[in-house]
Amino acid sequence: MAQISLTFPDDSQRHYDAGITPAEVAADISTSLGKKAISANVNGQHWDLQWPIEADSSIEINTMKDEAPALELIRHDLAHIMARAVQELWPDVKVTIGPVIENGWYYDFDRAEPFTPEDLGAIEKKMKEIISLRDPVRTEIWDRERAIRHYEDNGEPFKVELIEAIPGTEPLRMYWHGPWQDLCRGPHLQNTGQVPADAFKLMSVAGAYWRGDSDRQMLQRIYGVAFMNREKLKEYMNFLEEAEKRDHRKLGREMDLFHMQEEAPGQIFWHPNGWSIYTTLQDYMRRKQRSGGYVEVNTPQVVDRKLWEASGHWDKYQEHMFIVEVDEDHAREKSINALKPMNCPCHVQIFNQGLKSYRDLPLRMAEFGSCNRYEPSGALHGIMRVRGFTQDDAHIFCREDQIESETQKFIGFLSEIYRDLGFEKFAVKFSDRPEKRAGSDEVWDKSEAALKSATLAAGAEFELNPGEGAFYGPKLEFVLTDAIGRDWQCGTLQVDFVLPERLGATYIGEDGAKHRPVMLHRAVLGSFERFIGILIEEHAGKLPFWLAPRQVVVASIVSEADAYVAKVVEALRAAGVRAEADIRNEKINYKVREHSVGKVPVILACGLREVEESTVSLRRLGEKQTSVQALDDVITALSREATPPDQL
């Protein structure tokens, strides 16, 4: 029998007969490793312990201490165990597919009756029974005819269709978890008992069309989550509970910030409270940009397709654009326009008006640009993922030798804003050329080298994000981590040599000749809508005082204090504080509870004693204690808190 050489992580080598399995290799190394092994990495591929190795290879044996492969196996096995449990409980149910996803898995079923929450409990119980059986997991290779015949005989039409759709003629891998069998690429664990029975939970049921086709059967998709142990599962469930409390959609209703409705999918109806946050944040950004040397512009919403063709968006981005056809007077054919999905081509048009000199550069041009992009309805998510949004967008037209200094300035500018908004740290990702792009490889080489050099010169470490650049240039992505550990990509900086070339932008250099400017696309917040959603969730609705839409409610304890309440409100407003009165004939505890749900930061209660002493009883959101303070002192303190950080 032919011999093969296996190379281990420490570069040592062992020789075996071809066809040896990783299980046999692990047992040969040591009895204990043979018992602990769960899978292997063979030539960088995740490999089942039962699969034979036929050629010289590198190999690494995985145990439960290797979390990434262990979690993949646990979640994949649980998908099969769940499908087995469902068919043991309801033998008439047809199975389809069950892949591993982030934090867990799902499996799609064809069942006449909808699954109920009680059904999920029964399935979980049955799954734990299967795990306790420690049934062996085995695998075989079948030819297609045998596989199709098997599934036809067992009344599994979805599996037959899957096999017929798999390209090529190669044999297929089958897996058994005890007596239950499925078509699967693997790998898997070696018995059902290796799955931790106390570290998984079935979460929900959703509808899903077979193969994503709305003309096909509607299936039922059961989602589950799984982790290495019970403590990790508990951490995740606590995380979900905290995330639910912070959900901007729930808080948006409680705080009366906005709503959305089906007549305007992906568009936001801002209520007065929400619009107060929006305009306060926009005013802050406008002041910051002005002090950062930006000029503000405004460009059209609807632009002829000719500009989008010239810029490259029509070819590279059309699927995300809303097309507008207009019957022009006396035109023989309709004029085709598009709602702008981004502002950059329009900014080049402003740059192109009149001659620009090297002395005019860098020119930092900003716009609170309203954009529209098509997002599938299933991808929409509150105000975080919408079709209509406004960016704090800007483009810096500069010379090549200014890329480094402008990048450094921008990273400092962005850092300052993030600190003001409560984010002390951020991560940086470097996204290089995507498969679908404009411009030559030479231009991309130059763009990527310039941006990397500038980022390092700014002292910002970055991780690579391969293939995720814009179609016209590489980009930096600035990622914030919120209070419960979620990452949000907000700011961006992109180096673009392509668009100035395509749209004919030039400046007169020191040598008197025409040169192309480099265009740096940049945003700090990204979209206002999404960033406001992030802020709401980061602060669980308890926004910084200067951003809170309702900063102070002055509530009467007795009706005799109503006139004093009005006087306090007037004084606060004069001091720049957003204040309102609550003189309803309700108990003070009722008023406090109601305004606390609305996340009002400060409630000032006024009774007869407060009227007589020119004081107020102050209570802050989240605190149980109140304190009686002089009215003048409170106004001074709250006026300072209401001042935006850039104006302190």
Side-chain angles (χ1 to χ4, degrees):
M1 182 173 286
Q3 290 275 296
I4 61 172
S5 175
L6 298 184
T7 304
F8 294 86
D10 63 358
D11 289 332
S12 64
Q13 292 186 333
R14 295 192 182 200
H15 298 280
Y16 297 98
D17 290 339
I20 193 168
T21 65
E24 293 167 332
V25 173
D28 181 61
I29 294 170
S30 73
T31 303
S32 63
L33 183 60
K35 291 178 180 178
K36 293 177 182 176
I38 58 170
S39 66
N41 296 332
V42 177
N43 295 330
Q45 291 185 315
H46 200 187
W47 206 265
D48 195 296
L49 289 180
Q50 301 177 53
W51 296 351
I53 306 170
E54 303 290 355
D56 293 350
S57 304
S58 64
I59 185 170
E60 182 177 2
I61 303 297
N62 297 316
T63 69
M64 281 294 182
K65 289 183 178 179
D66 299 297
E67 188 166 328
L71 271 175
E72 180 187 337
L73 293 171
I74 288 168
R75 290 164 178 169
H76 200 174
D77 278 52
L78 279 165
H80 283 211
I81 290 168
M82 182 177 77
R84 172 181 166 182
V86 167
Q87 289 199 307
E88 287 187 6
L89 290 167
W90 300 282
D92 59 327
V93 172
K94 307 302 180 189
V95 295
T96 62
I97 57 171
V100 172
I101 57 174
E102 185 180 13
N103 298 317
W105 78 92
Y106 69 78
Y107 210 112
D108 289 347
F109 300 96
D110 185 24
R111 185 190 183 211
E113 297 295 319
F115 288 109
T116 65
E118 291 74 24
D119 290 338
L120 294 189
I123 296 167
E124 274 193 18
K125 182 180 177 183
K126 176 62 73 172
M127 290 172 70
K128 289 177 180 178
E129 290 174 7
I130 293 168
I131 291 168
S132 68
L133 292 173
R134 299 185 64 81
D135 280 339
V137 176
R138 62 186 181 87
T139 181
E140 291 181 5
I141 300 292
W142 284 8
D143 64 57
R144 288 174 182 244
E145 287 186 12
R146 181 184 178 189
I148 289 173
R149 190 165 60 250
H150 169 82
Y151 286 121
E152 286 176 341
D153 291 346
N154 285 275
E156 294 285 4
F158 297 100
K159 294 295 183 183
V160 173
E161 186 176 333
L162 280 174
I163 293 170
E164 291 173 341
I166 296 173
T169 57
E170 69 277 4
L172 304 171
R173 184 170 292 281
M174 300 292 176
Y175 270 92
W176 283 260
H177 283 67
W180 188 85
Q181 184 271 345
D182 201 4
L183 167 73
C184 184
R185 292 175 180 161
H188 281 282
L189 293 166
Q190 301 308 292
N191 68 72
T192 61
Q194 289 178 293
V195 173
D198 58 356
F200 77 91
K201 183 170 181 57
L202 302 187
M203 300 296 291
S204 62
V205 182
Y209 290 111
W210 171 232
R211 307 192 78 176
D213 185 344
S214 59
D215 293 328
R216 304 296 301 274
Q217 295 99 316
M218 173 62 81
L219 305 173
Q220 295 185 68
R221 176 172 293 177
I222 299 180
Y223 288 94
V225 295
F227 297 90
M228 295 295 295
N229 51 54
R230 181 174 58 186
E231 290 70 29
K232 293 285 187 184
L233 174 64
K234 186 177 179 182
E235 282 177 20
Y236 180 73
M237 298 307 294
N238 289 339
F239 166 81
L240 289 184
E241 185 180 343
E242 186 63 32
E244 187 177 355
K245 288 180 193 171
R246 294 168 179 266
D247 191 315
H248 73 279
R249 296 166 297 181
K250 170 179 171 287
L251 291 167
R253 289 190 297 273
E254 293 174 355
M255 297 170 70
D256 192 22
L257 303 180
F258 60 84
H259 82 275
M260 306 177 86
Q261 60 191 63
E262 61 183 18
E263 289 84 356
Q267 312 282 334
I268 303 167
F269 293 80
W270 287 104
H271 298 191
N273 290 338
W275 195 242
S276 171
I277 300 171
Y278 194 109
T279 54
T280 301
L281 189 60
Q282 190 177 68
D283 289 344
Y284 163 80
M285 285 302 300
R286 178 171 278 122
R287 291 190 302 271
K288 293 295 289 185
Q289 289 184 159
R290 190 177 297 130
S291 65
Y294 290 84
V295 293
E296 187 175 334
V297 300
N298 190 265
T299 59
Q301 290 291 102
V302 181
V303 180
D304 192 287
R305 67 177 285 177
K306 292 181 183 130
L307 181 60
W308 304 117
E309 287 173 340
S311 69
H313 289 85
W314 196 260
D315 179 42
K316 309 289 184 186
Y317 205 77
Q318 186 183 155
E319 66 206 62
H320 300 293
M321 298 168 72
F322 285 99
I323 310 303
V324 181
E325 293 188 354
V326 180
D327 275 317
E328 299 282 4
D329 290 340
H330 310 299
R332 293 182 179 176
E333 59 184 30
K334 289 184 178 180
S335 170
I336 299 177
N337 303 271
L339 293 177
K340 67 175 178 182
M342 52 194 63
N343 305 295
C344 22
C346 293
H347 286 192
V348 179
Q349 306 314 300
I350 294 177
F351 181 88
N352 285 348
Q353 296 300 302
L355 284 175
K356 299 293 186 297
S357 161
Y358 69 94
R359 294 188 182 90
D360 299 318
L361 305 183
L363 174 58
R364 305 182 188 103
M365 189 184 297
E367 177 177 8
F368 297 121
S370 295
C371 299
N372 292 270
R373 296 179 188 172
Y374 174 73
E375 297 279 0
S377 57
L380 300 176
H381 177 70
I383 65 174
M384 298 283 209
R385 192 80 177 264
V386 291
R387 291 177 176 174
F389 58 94
T390 300
Q391 293 177 304
D392 67 320
D393 202 8
H395 296 91
I396 302 168
F397 296 88
C398 64
R399 306 187 308 266
E400 275 190 57
D401 64 337
Q402 294 172 322
I403 293 174
E404 187 171 306
S405 61
E406 286 302 305
T407 297
Q408 287 180 280
K409 283 178 185 173
F410 174 67
I411 292 175
F413 179 76
L414 171 140
S415 303
E416 202 173 84
I417 291 170
Y418 284 176
R419 279 195 300 272
D420 281 352
L421 296 172
F423 297 96
E424 293 294 329
K425 296 180 181 178
F426 56 85
V428 183
K429 293 184 179 180
F430 183 96
S431 300
D432 60 14
R433 68 194 74 186
E435 192 172 320
K436 193 174 182 180
R437 61 183 181 269
S440 66
D441 286 345
E442 182 185 359
V443 166
W444 275 88
D445 290 342
K446 185 164 64 171
S447 302
E448 290 171 354
L451 186 56
K452 279 181 184 174
S453 172
T455 307
L456 292 171
E461 295 184 4
F462 59 83
E463 64 173 276
L464 285 174
N465 193 20
E468 293 300 316
F471 77 82
Y472 46 75
K475 66 179 176 180
L476 298 180
E477 295 178 352
F478 298 89
V479 181
L480 298 173
T481 301
D482 71 11
I484 57 174
R486 296 171 300 183
D487 287 342
W488 302 99
Q489 186 266 305
C490 297
T492 60
L493 177 69
Q494 303 160 17
V495 175
D496 183 2
F497 287 84
V498 173
L499 208 57
E501 175 78 31
R502 294 183 71 114
L503 297 181
T506 62
Y507 68 91
I508 305 300
E510 199 169 359
D511 58 1
K514 287 186 176 181
H515 299 268
R516 297 282 181 209
V518 180
M519 193 173 176
L520 305 182
H521 306 244
R522 54 109 291 199
V524 178
L525 308 183
S527 87
F528 275 90
E529 291 74 10
R530 184 166 178 269
F531 199 87
I532 288 170
I534 292 169
L535 282 174
I536 292 167
E537 297 199 358
E538 158 73 9
H539 296 286
K542 301 172 186 175
L543 293 168
F545 192 82
W546 69 276
L547 262 179
R550 303 171 65 209
Q551 292 173 330
V552 179
V553 168
V554 186
S556 58
I557 299 173
V558 293
S559 58
E560 289 82 356
D562 289 356
Y564 182 66
V565 165
K567 174 187 169 185
V568 173
V569 168
E570 185 179 350
L572 285 165
R573 288 176 177 173
V577 178
R578 290 187 283 277
E580 58 193 82
D582 185 348
I583 56 174
R584 293 173 300 166
N585 187 24
E586 300 283 359
K587 292 185 181 299
I588 189 64
N589 287 343
Y590 175 87
K591 295 178 182 180
V592 168
R593 278 196 305 273
E594 184 181 89
H595 297 310
S596 295
V597 169
K599 301 295 186 288
V600 177
V602 172
I603 298 173
L604 303 179
C606 301
L608 291 178
R609 188 179 76 168
E610 284 79 14
V611 173
E612 291 168 4
E613 298 176 355
S614 287
T615 59
V616 288
S617 183
L618 184 148
R619 180 173 182 151
R620 290 186 179 271
L621 182 62
E623 296 179 1
K624 292 183 179 179
Q625 295 80 18
T626 60
S627 61
V628 177
Q629 299 180 28
L631 176 59
D632 289 346
D633 293 344
V634 168
I635 290 173
T636 300
L638 293 181
S639 176
R640 181 174 175 78
E641 288 184 47
T643 304
D646 64 304
Q647 295 184 319
L648 289 171

